[in-house]
């Protein structure tokens, strides 16, 4: 009994070794436990088996089965990737496939990972050198669902692009996050206007790509920002480059604004703006707004950020001022000199380095006291005072999280969302949640608030959502940003403004490379002389470096032979390496045997007995020949021998047959005629006429009957018709319910016909494989009453197989020749020699 117990303990220890067995990594000064287990450096989670599931080992030849894991077994997880449908890495090249309901995956908190890092002197996952392009992080715990998968890309120092595939309470959610640690230098957040003015709309990607960039100024990401009116004007406060572009309009209790201070610190709040103008240091007059529509009695400041002109009517006064110093913000006083003063005109031109003071009624009366050459000062004050230091700002609508507290939002509806959050450590992140599709449902505002808090927000607010929700990033190696989410309109919507992430790291030397696609497809059995892919260059700051040429692909799925690479692996996903100029990167090599079609060099063959002929084939996909090696196809023939290279040798006897070419699930047949082949009877009618029915046009009656062939005593089919007293072309037809099939191209189609001497027109109808209808004229004047053999040549260039849907079309075109009668048909046949 003791021996049995010892045996089971040993087996249990082996089975759970990945979780409980000590190793060198565990020899740490301070042990860190999580959920009852000892953690080790590099661990990102753990997994528990819920149902029996296979354990796989990854090798150069693909997955190798190890054993079946039992219910209750637990393992440390060191990584997750999307290979083989998504797998958890347990170390030692051992993996478990992600299958819903079979495993339970959990991740430790960021605090627990930091505790482990401190105890072991290692780096917390996700905080390694910024040149690491694809860092790992602990999977976040989501209140309203579960993260099924995540991917992270370092797109600039301190900035990461993240994607989360979430199984939420109401369905799938695709979440796109731009995360800036707000500690890395040479990174800043900037606002951008559509078409460089308030009136007008432009897509987020176009706004970002229109920014003037150089080797030390790169737009790496961006999201749509404020809500906007019918003219494209953002609704509330916006500041660019330290100056107010537009003042807020929303009530203070509903206002939500993001501000970026001069030190890069982000704040979210509802600031109030107070502005006054003084003339020659004397009287003060309150300014109502900046770059807003001038209303009754109002004084408005207009800048070139508004539009080309003020768009005002003539019922007021407008004073043009040259800006001498300062900006419209809470830290500076804008000073200027009056250039002109115009009353009763309106719609003044707006120029750079100038402003227009525009007033109506009382404000107009005030402006009329100003003289050319007067000194103007405009002071701005924000409340709270911390907003006086804000240099960039954009607005939204709803506060989601305030000082760590989830806000209650009484707004119904599920839609795409754009939001921004600030963590306690000062890091800033945006989140775009796709919506209105089966792939991603979208979120309510309340659930958006929960998501932002789950992602660490201490403060969070929304930007414009719905069809406006857009996130753009500069993909590795690219010099422009592109849209990475799926806007719900089906295309990128034009919006009023955007928030951009800027990298000011100067482009350096080539540091690493990235393939233009992380997957290359190759075909089983194919031979490649130079398997390569376009690559993009990247410096140590993730800036693009221009390259010329492609990177060479190598993989365990490929076997080198004679300077070429042969795809020797079975269909599946394999690891690969791309090499360019001494730099390497990984790529997925997908081995497939799936084609759209096979195109042979011969559509059919007619050869002599024993004759040899070389045949080739092309495998087609997406209109391209992707497979040309004959040895990659499987060849077989029923009328001779065919080698693996497609060389065919006909049999030494007459006959009909075919050559079959196969690859994967696709195949094609080449009809073959060897020697002198006797006609093939397509229909003898000896089994009856159940497959045939009569139809007609402009006919009184038509029918088919079984008949006796008095020519040889066998069965035949009789067509009985009545065309009398009809007008136009009359026709009596024998229609095949199941079409007669002709696979091998014949020279002619023939049949025996006992005529009725009425001078009608005898035809047969075929349809080829492409749908082309072919009429065969057997005889245009059936003026005999005995048995005769009639035939018609089959046109060349048809697609096989042919279908004979109307073996008989008996017709009369002349009204004066209309009659009734009957004809008998027998032994319809395909003829293969002249």
């Amino acid at each position: 009994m003791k021996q049995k117990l010892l045996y089971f303990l040993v087996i249990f220890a082996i089975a759970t070794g990945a979780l409980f067995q000590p190793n060198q990594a565990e020899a740490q000064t301070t042990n860190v436990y999580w959920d009852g287990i000892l953690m080790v450096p590099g661990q990102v989670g753990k997994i528990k088996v819920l149902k029996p599931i296979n354990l796989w080992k990854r090798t150069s030849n693909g997955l190798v089965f190890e054993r079946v894991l039992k219910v209750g077994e637990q393992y440390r997880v060191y990584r997750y990737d999307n290979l083989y449908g998504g797998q958890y890495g347990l170390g030692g090249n051992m993996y478990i496939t992600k299958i819903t309901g079979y495993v339970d995956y959990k991740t430790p908190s960021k605090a627990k990972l930091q505790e482990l890092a401190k105890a072991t002197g290692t780096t917390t996952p996700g905080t390694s050198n910024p040149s690491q392009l694809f860092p790992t992080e602990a999977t976040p715990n989501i209140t309203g669902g579960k993260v099924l998968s995540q991917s992270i890309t370092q797109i600039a120092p301190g900035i990461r692009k993240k994607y989360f595939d979430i199984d939420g309470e109401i369905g799938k959610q695709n979440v796109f996050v731009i995360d800036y640690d707000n500690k890395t230098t040479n990174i800043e957040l900037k606002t951008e206007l559509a078409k460089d003015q308030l009136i007008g709309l432009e897509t987020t990607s176009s706004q970002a790509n229109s920014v003037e960039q150089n080797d030390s100024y790169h737009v790496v990401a961006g999201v749509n920002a404020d809500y906007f009116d019918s003219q494209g004007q953002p609704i509330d406060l916006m500041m660019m480059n330290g100056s107010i572009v537009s003042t807020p309009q929303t009530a203070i209790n509903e206002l939500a604004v993001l501000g970026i201070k001069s030190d890069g610190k982000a704040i979210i709040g509802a600031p109030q703006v107070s502005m006054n103008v003084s003339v020659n240091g004397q009287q003060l007059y309150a300014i109502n707004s900046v770059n807003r529509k001038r209303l009754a009695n109002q004084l408005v400041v207009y800048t070139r950020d508004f539009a080309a002109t003020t768009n005002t009517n003539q019922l007021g006064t407008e004073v043009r001022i040259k800006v001498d110093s300062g900006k419209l913000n809470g830290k500076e006083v804008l000073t200027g000199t009056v250039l002109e003063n115009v009353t009763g005109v309106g719609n003044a031109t707006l120029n750079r380095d100038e402003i227009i003071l525009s007033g109506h009624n009382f404000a107009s009366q005030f402006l009329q006291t100003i003289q050319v050459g007067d000194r103007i000062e405009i002071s701005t004050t924000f409340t709270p005072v911390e907003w006086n230091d804000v240099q960039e700002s954009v607005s939204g609508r709803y506060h989601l999280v305030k000082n760590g507290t989830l806000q209650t939002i009484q707004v119904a509806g599920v839609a795409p969302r754009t939001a921004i959050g600030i963590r306690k450590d000062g890091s800033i992140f945006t989140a775009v949640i796709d919506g209105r599709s089966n792939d991603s449902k979208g979120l309510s505002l309340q659930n958006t608030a929960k998501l932002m808090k789950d992602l660490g927000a201490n403060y969070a607010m929304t930007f414009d959502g719905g069809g406006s929700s857009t996130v753009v990033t500069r993909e590795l190696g690219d010099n422009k940003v592109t849209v990475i989410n799926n806007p719900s309109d089906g295309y990128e919507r034009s919006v009023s403004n955007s928030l951009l992430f800027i990298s000011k790291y100067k482009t350096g030397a080539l540091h690493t490379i990235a393939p233009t696609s992380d997957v290359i497809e190759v075909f089983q059995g194919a031979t490649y002389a130079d398997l390569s892919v376009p690559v993009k260059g990247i410096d140590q700051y993730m800036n693009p470096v221009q390259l010329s040429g492609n990177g060479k692909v190598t993989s365990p799925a490929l076997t080198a032979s004679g300077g070429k690479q042969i795809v020797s692996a079975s269909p599946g996903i394999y690891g690969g390496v791309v090499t360019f100029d001494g730099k390497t990167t990984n790529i997925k090599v997908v081995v497939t045997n799936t084609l759209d079609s096979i195109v042979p060099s011969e559509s059919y063959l007619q050869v002599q007995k024993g004759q040899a002929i070389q045949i080739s084939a092309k495998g087609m996909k997406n209109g391209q020949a992707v497979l040309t090696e004959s040895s990659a196809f499987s060849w077989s023939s029923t009328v001779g021998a065919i080698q693996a290279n497609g060389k065919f040798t006909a049999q030494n006897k007459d006959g009909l047959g075919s050559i079959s070419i196969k690859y994967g699930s696709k195949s094609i047949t080449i009809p073959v005629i060897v020697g002198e082949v006797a006609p093939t009877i397509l229909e003898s009618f000896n089994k009856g006429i159940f497959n045939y029915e009569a139809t007609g046009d402009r006919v009184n009656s038509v029918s088919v009957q079984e008949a006796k062939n008095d020519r040889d005593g066998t069965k035949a089919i009789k067509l009985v018709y009545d065309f009398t007293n009809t007008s136009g072309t009359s026709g009596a037809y024998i229609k095949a319910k199941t079409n007669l099939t002709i696979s091998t191209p014949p020279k002619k189609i023939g049949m025996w016909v006992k005529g009725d001497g009425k001078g009608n027109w005898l035809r047969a109808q075929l349809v080829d494989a492409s749908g082309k209808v072919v009429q065969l004229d057997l005889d245009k004047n059936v003026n005999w009453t005995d048995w005769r053999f009639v035939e018609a040549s089959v046109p060349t260039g048809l697609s096989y197989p042919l279908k004979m849907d109307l073996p008989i079309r008996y017709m009369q075109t002349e009204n004066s020749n209309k009659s009734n009668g009957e004809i008998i048909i027998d032994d319809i046949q395909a003829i293969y020699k002249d």
Side-chain angles (χ1 to χ4, degrees):
M1 183 66 184
K2 289 182 178 179
Q3 288 180 331
K4 288 184 178 180
L5 179 60
L6 177 62
Y7 170 78
F8 285 120
L9 287 173
V10 170
I11 294 299
F12 177 77
I14 293 173
T16 59
L19 186 57
F20 298 113
Q21 288 294 315
N23 55 35
Q24 187 175 0
E26 295 172 358
Q28 52 198 43
T29 305
T30 304
N31 290 334
V32 177
Y33 289 88
W34 162 60
D35 202 18
I37 68 167
L38 178 66
M39 295 187 68
V40 300
Q43 180 182 352
V44 296
K46 74 165 191 172
I47 203 164
K48 183 177 181 180
V49 178
L50 302 179
K51 295 181 182 179
I53 190 170
N54 291 344
L55 175 67
W56 300 96
K57 183 174 184 179
R58 288 189 187 176
T59 70
S60 59
N61 294 320
L63 295 180
V64 176
F65 171 75
E66 287 289 314
R67 64 184 180 88
V68 176
L69 302 182
K70 298 179 181 179
V71 174
E73 293 185 28
Q74 299 186 72
Y75 296 90
R76 296 187 183 93
V77 175
Y78 298 94
R79 62 171 296 180
Y80 174 84
D81 60 37
N82 291 318
L83 291 179
Y84 304 103
Q87 289 190 321
Y88 300 101
L90 311 184
N93 284 332
M94 297 297 180
Y95 287 83
I96 298 175
T97 304
K98 181 185 73 174
I99 304 177
T100 302
Y102 282 74
V103 292
D104 179 39
Y105 175 62
K106 292 183 178 179
T107 58
S109 66
K110 183 179 289 187
K112 185 61 68 174
L113 290 170
Q114 291 172 344
E115 181 184 351
L116 175 65
K118 183 178 180 180
T120 60
T122 58
T123 303
T124 304
T127 62
S128 55
N129 190 308
S131 65
Q132 182 184 359
L133 298 181
F134 304 102
T136 58
E137 291 184 4
T139 304
N141 294 316
I142 303 300
T143 304
K146 183 178 181 180
V147 176
L148 301 178
S149 66
Q150 69 177 19
S151 63
I152 304 171
T153 305
Q154 195 84 34
I155 59 175
I159 302 179
R160 291 178 175 181
K161 174 187 72 172
K162 303 177 182 180
Y163 168 76
F164 301 103
D165 180 13
I166 297 176
D167 182 12
E169 294 175 346
I170 63 170
K172 297 179 181 178
Q173 304 291 346
N174 297 333
V175 180
F176 302 83
V177 172
I178 305 300
D179 205 325
Y180 168 43
D181 62 16
N182 209 11
K183 297 175 182 176
T184 304
T185 58
N186 289 335
I187 300 294
E188 63 181 27
L189 271 64
K190 300 286 288 183
T191 56
E192 183 65 21
L193 265 176
K195 299 180 179 178
D196 295 324
Q197 64 179 39
L198 282 169
I199 295 180
L201 296 170
E202 186 179 10
T203 63
T204 303
S205 62
S206 178
Q207 290 181 43
N209 289 326
S210 66
V211 172
E212 185 175 348
Q213 301 185 54
N214 54 52
D215 65 354
S216 298
Y217 196 89
H218 314 269
V219 179
V220 297
V223 293
N224 68 291
D226 204 351
Y227 295 79
F228 50 90
D229 63 19
S230 59
Q231 288 188 302
Q233 286 186 262
I235 296 299
D236 284 312
L237 178 65
M238 181 179 180
M239 295 181 67
M240 293 178 64
N241 301 315
S243 188
I244 295 174
V245 173
S246 61
T247 43
Q249 303 178 106
T250 300
I252 194 70
N253 63 321
E254 296 180 355
L255 182 63
V257 184
L258 168 76
I260 307 296
K261 301 173 71 173
S262 58
D263 61 359
K265 179 183 177 182
I267 56 177
I268 289 175
Q272 291 180 291
V273 186
S274 175
M275 302 180 72
N276 294 283
V277 60
S278 68
V279 182
N280 297 322
Q282 301 300 314
Q283 69 269 38
L284 293 177
Y285 198 95
I287 295 173
N288 297 95
S289 65
V290 176
N291 291 328
R292 296 297 181 189
K293 183 178 180 181
R294 189 189 69 195
L295 302 177
N297 296 310
Q298 285 191 348
L299 178 60
V300 180
V301 177
Y302 288 103
T303 72
R304 184 59 185 85
D305 292 324
F306 178 69
T309 66
T310 60
N311 287 338
T312 53
N313 59 31
Q314 72 275 18
L315 303 177
T317 298
E318 295 190 322
V319 174
R320 183 178 304 279
I321 300 165
K322 177 182 179 297
V323 177
D324 296 322
S325 64
K327 295 183 177 182
L328 298 175
N329 63 44
K331 292 183 69 174
E332 303 176 59
V333 174
L334 183 146
T335 63
T337 304
V338 176
L339 299 178
E340 66 175 356
N341 189 328
V342 179
T343 299
V345 176
N347 201 30
T349 301
L350 292 168
N351 302 317
R352 296 295 176 190
D353 301 321
E354 294 179 355
I355 64 170
I356 297 288
L357 285 176
S358 181
H360 174 266
N361 198 15
F362 298 139
S364 174
Q365 294 173 21
F366 162 72
L367 292 179
Q368 289 173 29
T369 66
I370 297 175
Q371 304 295 316
V372 172
D374 282 349
R375 177 180 173 81
I376 300 296
E377 292 184 347
I378 298 177
S379 58
T380 304
T381 302
F382 283 91
T383 304
V385 295
E386 65 176 338
W387 284 85
N388 287 325
D389 189 34
V390 167
Q391 301 293 297
E392 305 280 329
S393 71
V394 282
S395 302
R397 179 63 55 82
Y398 301 99
H399 290 271
L400 303 174
V401 183
K402 285 185 178 181
N403 198 24
T405 301
L406 199 67
Q407 300 300 288
T408 300
I409 308 166
Q410 303 291 345
V411 178
V414 171
R417 305 292 180 188
T418 302
I420 186 163
I422 306 168
R423 301 187 183 93
K424 283 187 176 180
D425 62 4
S427 59
I428 306 165
F429 69 96
T430 63
V432 169
I433 303 97
D434 277 347
R436 298 171 180 162
S437 75
N438 291 330
D439 291 332
S440 187
K441 300 295 185 181
L443 290 176
S444 66
L445 286 169
Q446 192 63 59
N447 283 335
T448 303
K450 292 178 182 178
L451 174 64
M452 295 301 285
K453 192 172 189 308
D454 290 338
L455 294 177
N458 191 44
Y459 285 88
M461 58 176 276
T462 63
F463 288 144
D464 189 12
S468 298
S469 286
T470 306
V471 56
V472 299
T473 61
R474 184 186 68 175
E475 298 299 280
L476 293 174
D478 290 350
N479 56 18
K480 296 286 187 180
V481 302
T482 52
V483 179
I484 62 170
N485 72 310
N486 295 294
S488 63
D489 288 349
Y491 55 87
E492 187 184 1
R493 180 184 289 182
S494 293
V495 295
S496 64
N497 56 14
S498 57
L499 179 67
L500 305 179
F501 293 77
I502 309 295
S503 168
K504 299 168 75 172
Y505 284 89
K506 186 174 182 179
T507 302
L510 178 66
H511 179 72
T512 187
I513 58 173
T516 55
S517 171
D518 62 357
V519 175
I520 182 173
E521 184 180 63
V522 295
F523 290 83
Q524 183 183 13
T527 299
Y528 297 92
D530 181 22
L531 188 61
S532 61
V533 294
V535 292
K536 298 178 288 188
I538 306 165
D539 75 359
Q540 64 176 322
Y541 305 117
M542 284 61 76
N543 294 321
V545 177
Q546 188 172 357
L547 298 181
S548 177
N550 292 342
K552 182 176 177 61
V553 178
T554 56
S555 170
L558 308 170
T559 300
S561 177
K564 298 182 178 181
Q565 292 174 294
I566 301 172
V567 183
S568 53
S570 301
I573 302 175
Y574 300 83
V577 174
V578 181
T579 304
F580 178 89
D581 194 24
K583 308 295 184 182
T584 62
T585 189
N586 295 328
I587 193 170
K588 296 175 187 176
V589 178
V590 177
V591 178
T592 183
N593 61 359
T594 301
L595 298 172
D596 294 337
S597 64
I598 299 172
V599 179
S601 58
E602 311 290 338
S603 58
Y604 78 98
L605 289 176
Q606 188 162 10
V607 296
Q608 300 300 316
K609 290 179 286 187
Q611 182 181 349
I613 189 170
Q614 181 66 50
I615 305 168
S616 62
K618 295 179 180 178
M620 307 298 293
K621 192 164 187 178
N622 298 325
Q624 301 292 322
V626 295
L627 191 64
T628 57
E629 294 80 17
S630 296
S631 59
F633 298 94
S634 296
W635 303 82
S636 62
S637 176
T638 60
V639 283
I642 190 162
Q643 300 176 19
N645 64 0
K647 186 175 182 180
F648 170 69
T649 303
Q651 64 188 20
N652 287 313
K653 61 180 180 180
D654 299 331
L656 290 176
S658 62
I659 294 171
S660 292
I661 310 172
K662 294 183 178 180
Y663 184 85
S665 62
K666 291 294 181 182
S667 64
I668 193 167
T669 299
I670 302 174
V672 180
I673 304 170
V674 179
E676 300 292 329
V677 179
T680 297
I681 302 299
L682 303 175
E683 179 59 85
S684 67
F685 301 106
N686 289 336
K687 294 182 179 180
I689 64 170
F690 64 90
N691 188 44
Y692 301 94
E693 61 185 0
T695 63
D697 290 318
R698 297 181 178 87
V699 59
N700 296 318
S701 62
V702 61
S703 63
V704 292
Q705 303 170 14
E706 188 174 291
K708 183 177 181 180
N709 182 345
D710 54 11
R711 177 179 61 86
D712 59 7
T714 61
K715 292 181 180 179
I717 191 170
K718 180 189 293 184
L719 177 64
V720 181
Y721 66 94
D722 182 358
F723 296 159
T724 58
N725 300 319
T726 61
S727 298
T729 299
S730 295
Y733 315 132
I734 297 178
K735 177 179 175 57
K737 298 176 184 177
T738 300
N739 296 331
L740 306 181
T741 301
I742 306 169
S743 298
T744 304
K747 297 286 187 179
K748 300 176 181 178
I749 297 295
M751 63 187 72
W752 284 96
V753 177
K754 185 174 185 179
D756 60 1
K758 300 299 178 68
N760 294 324
W761 184 5
L762 182 63
R763 310 181 88 184
Q765 178 172 294
L766 308 171
V767 180
D768 80 350
S770 70
K772 180 180 180 180
V773 177
V774 180
Q775 304 292 341
L776 302 180
D777 290 328
L778 297 165
D779 198 299
K780 292 188 176 182
N781 183 12
V782 180
N783 56 9
W784 71 88
T785 57
D786 55 350
W787 283 99
R788 291 191 182 181
F789 188 79
V790 293
E791 59 185 22
S793 297
V794 177
T796 59
L798 301 180
S799 299
Y800 283 79
L802 305 179
K803 302 291 185 182
M804 184 179 284
D805 57 341
L806 294 174
I808 296 298
R809 300 186 70 209
Y810 200 45
M811 305 166 66
Q812 180 53 250
T813 61
E814 301 294 332
N815 292 337
S816 58
N817 292 337
K818 297 294 180 67
S819 61
N820 55 23
E822 60 185 38
I823 58 174
I824 301 175
I825 300 95
D826 197 12
D827 290 344
I828 302 173
Q829 52 198 272
I831 303 167
Y832 297 98
K833 61 181 180 178
D834 294 326

